[in-house]
Structures are given as structure tokens and as C-alpha cells.
Amino acid sequence: MRILLRGVKPLGRAKRDILIEKGVISQVSSHIDSSYDKAFDLDGAVLLPSLVDLHSHTRQPGGDEQETLESFSRAAVHGGVTAAVSMPNTSPVVDSPSIVAWLVSESRKIGLVDILPAASITVGQQGRQLTEMAELKKAGAVAITEDGLAVEDSRLMRYALEYAKTVGLPVLLHCEDRRLSDGGAMNEGRVSLELGLRGIPEISETVGILRDLEIAAYVGARVHICHISLARSVAIISFYKKQFPGLISCETAPHYMIFSEEDVRGYSTNLKMNPPLRRDSDRKAIIKALKRQEIDCIATDHAPHTVWDKELEFSSAPFGIVGVETWLSSLIHYFVRPGILEWEDVVRLCCDNPRRILGLPVVRLEEGSVADLVVIDPDSEWQVDEETLFSRSKNSPFLGQRLKGKILLTIKSGRIVYSDY
Ligand SMILES: [Zn+2]
């Protein structure tokens, strides 16, 4: 199948025709005459590498009411994503080679996105016994993580990082001192006091990061810090990165760039996540750190929850929001269009660095590169609502909102996996 993309702007630059054959970009030119099977006139739409999400809760096995691998896959390609790391806090937990192998084969059967399983650090995420990381890797696990929880026992954490280093698996760290945050629903501070909600203090995140980085540095293990939400977290991570180059990477999520604790005043449970939305000064510091390359990636922390779960009052509702479908659009709407981020920033943060962290080849918009691509119309907008989201869960903070930046095509290995052309 030869696909011709006419008049796209790679990275928002000059218009080009792009020919895709046998899964790769075979020709890039100002005008292509070659024969093709299917052509798209895309007149000035922007072409980027497809996105890779380092942090998605795909929920299966066990969480079918919230999401299935199938509904997740449809949501992901709707968001321009062709690969996503699935988090292991499912039921049962992804702690055995057979579950990892099942995830890999189901994702292949669906055939839309590569679901890349992360396995848990401890058996059943019980924090007592390490998983068989070598076997998990053989079965297809791309990383290990205890996400959703943290490994409380520091000695076990040390052994986990030593084992992961030997096996050569990256460790995705959910850094939290749970005794400090337990029972909290939002950021601890003036707003939580005013709202009468129990707070999650900054130190539950920073103490968690400090401990984990000290152990990682001591062991020399490759670690990636998940979902940082604080200016102080950036400062701590930068301090360690300077001393231990190449060992540490980190991510934030779009919601920490767009919202702050002030937005929780409406008590919408679609603004309840862990770590919580922080102060506006943290939000601004996170954006600066992304520009300065102190934060390596943006990941979604896509966390589907059913309507009846999220309809609980704020203090008892579960943490997390869906995000894989609004990821790219929200970045375009809030940051690229206003000139805060460049297309190159988006590609570094959402495409190239996530691939590097996973050891996947980086997609180049040039001849010979694998055709994992997304085509976006940055000027057209779409309405985020229960009908337009493909995810089985609708717990999005953007519900009812129109976002500029509409995905027209998602292409994986030269195959169209999503089209709104
Ligand atoms: Zn987490």
C-alpha cells in the first residue's frame, strides 16, 4: 500500500509531499508524481512523528468497566499515539510472564497501537517479594514500576534497582512517601484549608524522589521519575542529573501544565489526581523546566474511571483522569498556538525522548524512517465530550470544552490506524 500525503508541513515547516511505502517514508519532496494507492490532500496540515506514551493505565486485566485494551487502543490512535506503556496496577497485577505475554498478544490482535507492558516491582504490588524481572523481560515487559503505589521498604527498593540494572530494564518510579500523603485529596495549602479538604503535602513527593534517587545513584540503576508536579521536584532531579549523567529521566503530565489547585475550587473530581494539582507557581516552573529540557517527557497518566466512581464526593472519589485523547490537542491549544512551546518541543517531549527511554528507534521525518506519523490540523477545533471520546471512561477535565488541534490521520508502520480526513 503506497500512501501519498500531499502538502503536509513536517514540524510545521515548508510544505512537502510524503510518500509512504512498505511501512517506511520512501520519498520526501516538494512535489511527488509517483503512483500511489491512496492520496490525502492535506494542504498545510502539520506532520509529526506519532506520540509514545510512557504512562497509561489500560486497566485490563480486570478493569473492563473502566477501559479495555480495545477501547484504549481506539482512544490512543484518536490522540495520535502509536505506542503506550501500560501500567501494571490491574487485577490481577501484571507480575507474571503469562500476563505480560497476554497483553502483548492481545495488543497485536487489536493491531492499532503497541501496548508495551510495564510489570510490577513486587508480587501483587504487595511490597514484600520482588517479581522475576528476567522472566518478565523475556515475556515482553519493557519496564518495571510499582505505579499507583510506591515501594515503601527501602531495602527492597535497593534490591529491586540492583535486579533491574542487571536485567537491563528501566524502572519507572512513582515517588511518594505514602505516610505523608495518606488520606489527602488535593494539594496541602491555603486552598485545601479553605475548601476543608485533607491535603497532600509537597514533601510526600519530594521525600519520595529524594529517597529513590539516592538509592538509584548508589546502585547505578537507570530510573525514570513519573508524573512530577512541583518546582522543587525539578530542582532535586536536576541536582542528581548533574552528578549522575545519563542515569535519570523524568516526566510530567499535561494537567500539571494547564491546571492548578485553584481549579479544584469547583470540586470537580475530574481534577483529582495523584500527585495533586499544585500551586500556580509550580505549574509555571514545570513549563519552564520543559523548555529548558530539565523535564524530559510529557506522559499522560491516562487513568480511566467510571462515571459512578467519579460521581462520589471529592474526598472519596478515586485519583486520575483520562488523557491519551486530549494529550496532543491540549498541548497545541494551550502551548503551541500561543507560542509557549514549539513543534520541536512537542516532538522532543512526546515522541523522541519517550522512544529513547524505551530503547525504540526515533522517528525522523525523512526518507528511510519508519512511518509512525500523525497529521494534525492545528487550526481546526473539536469538542471534547462523552460522544467524541473513544475511551470507555469519560473522566476528562476538558469535557464540554473545544480544543484547537484536531488529529486528521494517525499512521503506524505505514498503515492508517485513525482517520478523520
Ligand atoms: Zn503514579
Side-chain angles (χ1 to χ4, degrees):
M1 176 90 162
R2 274 161 308 177
I3 300 168
L4 178 59
L5 309 180
R6 273 207 195 99
V8 283
K9 291 179 171 173
L11 299 177
R13 294 185 191 136
K15 277 191 200 176
R16 289 281 180 273
D17 286 1
I18 306 252
L19 188 68
I20 298 163
E21 275 180 285
K22 296 184 184 135
V24 299
I25 298 175
S26 61
Q27 216 182 326
V28 181
S29 173
S30 50
H31 184 76
I32 295 177
D33 268 333
S34 324
S35 62
Y36 52 82
D37 301 300
K38 194 160 176 52
F40 296 88
D41 283 314
L42 293 159
D43 193 35
V46 174
L47 177 75
L48 304 180
S50 60
L51 282 69
V52 173
D53 188 16
L54 288 174
H55 198 141
S56 267
H57 295 271
T58 54
R59 297 299 190 217
Q60 277 191 310
D64 308 37
E65 286 190 333
Q66 300 163 322
E67 194 79 287
T68 62
L69 297 175
E70 167 102 32
S71 65
F72 173 79
S73 298
R74 295 199 182 284
V77 294
H78 179 220
V81 176
T82 58
V85 175
S86 60
M87 291 292 138
N89 60 339
T90 49
S91 178
V93 168
V94 183
D95 60 4
S96 73
S98 61
I99 304 178
V100 170
W102 179 79
L103 285 167
V104 173
S105 81
E106 285 302 302
S107 127
R108 286 207 185 121
K109 262 187 238 161
I110 298 161
L112 293 172
V113 294
D114 290 329
I115 290 172
L116 309 170
S120 63
I121 294 177
T122 69
V123 174
Q125 288 195 302
Q126 296 291 311
R128 286 193 280 273
Q129 187 193 340
L130 294 183
T131 52
E132 290 294 341
M133 295 177 201
E135 301 301 315
L136 292 163
K137 188 182 179 186
K138 242 185 261 163
V142 300
I144 56 157
T145 182
E146 204 79 331
D147 189 60
L149 299 169
V151 177
E152 285 184 17
D153 180 337
S154 301
R155 192 173 68 143
L156 196 65
M157 190 57 158
R158 174 199 173 162
Y159 293 149
L161 293 186
E162 284 173 344
Y163 191 2
K165 183 188 171 188
T166 315
V167 171
L169 277 176
V171 187
L172 314 178
L173 291 171
H174 170 115
C175 300
E176 180 181 6
D177 186 320
R178 292 174 60 83
R179 286 189 186 84
L180 284 169
S181 50
D182 197 33
M186 70 170 293
N187 186 45
E188 180 176 287
R190 189 174 46 84
V191 182
S192 69
L193 274 174
E194 281 177 38
L195 298 183
L197 290 169
R198 215 155 132 184
I200 299 174
E202 286 194 4
I203 47 173
S204 81
E205 180 171 325
T206 53
V207 168
I209 291 176
L210 275 165
R211 185 205 66 166
D212 287 358
L213 285 183
E214 271 298 311
I215 300 174
Y218 185 76
V219 167
R222 172 86 194 76
V223 293
H224 174 81
I225 314 252
C226 295
H227 46 53
I228 63 171
S229 69
L230 290 163
R232 281 197 61 74
S233 301
V234 175
I236 293 166
I237 292 167
S238 299
F239 174 82
Y240 279 88
K241 273 182 167 180
K242 272 190 205 109
Q243 290 184 63
F244 305 97
L247 214 56
I248 301 153
S249 57
C250 64
E251 77 191 25
T252 189
H255 36 274
Y256 303 117
M257 304 162 63
I258 298 168
F259 305 108
S260 76
E261 60 179 0
E262 292 292 333
D263 296 295
V264 178
R265 288 184 185 280
Y267 293 98
S268 164
T269 56
N270 289 341
L271 290 167
K272 180 178 178 181
M273 63 284 289
N274 187 24
L277 298 171
R278 305 289 191 177
R279 287 174 300 178
D280 201 51
S281 54
D282 289 302
R283 185 184 70 79
K284 288 179 180 144
I286 293 277
I287 297 166
K288 260 195 206 135
L290 287 161
K291 291 283 288 181
R292 285 200 212 122
Q293 311 200 20
E294 291 165 338
I295 298 176
D296 306 277
C297 306
I298 303 170
T300 68
D301 200 359
H302 177 84
H305 289 288
T306 58
V307 176
W308 45 94
D309 277 340
K310 276 294 199 180
E311 266 176 3
L312 295 167
E313 60 178 298
F314 197 91
S315 56
S316 22
F319 292 108
I321 57 169
V322 289
V324 77
E325 288 173 87
T326 50
W327 182 15
L328 182 52
S329 291
S330 66
L331 294 181
I332 293 169
H333 185 95
Y334 287 99
F335 301 101
V336 178
R337 289 183 56 90
I340 300 163
L341 292 180
E342 307 292 328
W343 289 112
E344 284 80 0
D345 295 321
V346 172
V347 169
R348 181 183 72 250
L349 294 161
C350 307
C351 311
D352 294 354
N353 283 344
R355 284 184 170 88
R356 285 192 187 106
I357 287 163
L358 295 170
L360 303 172
V362 168
V363 174
R364 301 264 168 238
L365 303 178
E366 54 195 41
E367 286 167 25
S369 182
V370 63
D372 285 349
L373 306 168
V374 57
V375 179
I376 312 128
D377 181 350
D379 300 318
S380 107
E381 52 178 30
W382 65 290
Q383 168 96 13
V384 183
D385 58 34
E386 297 189 358
E387 284 71 48
T388 53
L389 292 177
F390 287 78
S391 174
R392 188 164 276 196
S393 291
K394 313 293 179 185
N395 50 314
S396 165
F398 302 108
L399 279 187
Q401 201 182 319
R402 297 185 74 78
L403 290 178
K404 281 212 169 165
K406 192 172 172 178
I407 284 132
L408 302 178
L409 293 172
T410 304
I411 300 170
K412 183 176 183 296
S413 306
R415 207 162 51 83
I416 310 258
V417 286
Y418 173 79
S419 171
D420 185 17
Y421 172 70

